Amino acid sequence: VALSQQLELKPLLVQITEALARLTGAGSVIFWEVDEASDLLVRRAWTSMPAINADELPASVGIDSGGAGWVARNRQPLFVEDVTPDERIRARQWAVGHGLLSFAGVPVVSGDDLLGVLTLNLRREDLPAEDDRELLTSFASQAAVAVRNARLFAEGTRRRREAEELAQVARMLTESLDVSEVADRVVRSVLPIFGVDAAGL
């Protein structure tokens, strides 16, 4: 996912984690985005209780690693009442240190595409009961719709901006016959189109 698209999605992903933290009382909720090119789950947004620092967790994990990786690979929810003996949970020491003995993870899927994984670290008493777990899955489905729509909107906006920039370049190039002025305009105009800091001709 392009950096500009990540920046545009960030507020939505934070809203998703905040809403899920309020809904469940989880000590920490993280949205891990799938990066298919590198087979990683990247920590894009998180919400934690004030005393809990999610920055202590890795910025990314392999798609075959930990509880989030298990959810991503199997595309199924995972609920663990006690993480202490569970080898699938890699951040056990961090979780236990914060009194978050339970884990829940749900895939964020749109159609056939895995967009990410939502993980929750919870106190044991906050782990959703069997009949409440469907609510968490439903929340992840709604999150998938929101993320997919936001990505489509961001992509449409990016393409419109590029088309506008290219049209402006065409206008500028026809306004002058001076070669060095045209070259200067070309160089200046490609900066916003490609999102770069410098260009040369």
Side-chain angles (χ1 to χ4, degrees), residues 52-108:
I52 297 172
N53 185 4
D55 278 334
E56 294 171 0
L57 296 172
S60 62
V61 295
I63 206 158
D64 58 349
S65 176
W70 188 95
V71 172
R73 285 190 317 278
N74 293 283
R75 295 192 182 201
Q76 293 179 7
L78 174 64
F79 297 93
V80 179
E81 186 175 353
D82 183 2
V83 299
T84 311
D86 198 311
E87 293 291 328
R88 292 173 296 186
I89 311 302
R90 292 289 171 90
R92 291 192 302 268
Q93 189 173 356
W94 173 86
V96 171
H98 291 293
L100 304 173
L101 294 180
S102 294
F103 172 91
V106 287
V108 180

Side-chain angles (χ1 to χ4, degrees), residues 16-17 20 23-24 29-34 41 67-80 89 103-110 114-122 127-128 132-144:
I16 289 170
T17 60
L20 195 50
L23 181 68
T24 62
V29 178
I30 300 174
F31 186 99
W32 302 89
E33 186 178 34
V34 174
L41 293 170
W70 188 95
V71 172
R73 285 190 317 278
N74 293 283
R75 295 192 182 201
Q76 293 179 7
L78 174 64
F79 297 93
V80 179
I89 311 302
F103 172 91
V106 287
V108 180
V109 178
S110 175
L114 178 67
L115 306 180
V117 172
L118 279 164
T119 60
L120 297 82
N121 295 95
L122 313 104
L127 184 68
D132 292 330
R133 293 179 181 180
E134 192 59 40
L135 177 64
L136 196 54
T137 304
S138 177
F139 184 95
S141 297
Q142 294 302 313

Side-chain angles (χ1 to χ4, degrees), residues 155-173 188-190 192-194:
E155 178 66 16
T157 301
R158 183 186 65 78
R159 288 186 180 191
R160 181 180 50 77
R161 275 197 309 255
E162 286 178 356
E164 289 169 355
E165 292 287 347
L166 288 171
Q168 185 176 346
V169 170
R171 279 194 305 275
M172 285 192 310
L173 294 179
R188 279 186 281 120
S189 66
V190 298
I193 292 173
F194 295 106

Side-chain angles (χ1 to χ4, degrees), residues 27-43:
S28 177
V29 178
I30 300 174
F31 186 99
W32 302 89
E33 186 178 34
V34 174
D35 182 344
E36 292 179 352
S38 56
D39 271 349
L40 291 175
L41 293 170
V42 181
R43 181 167 44 95

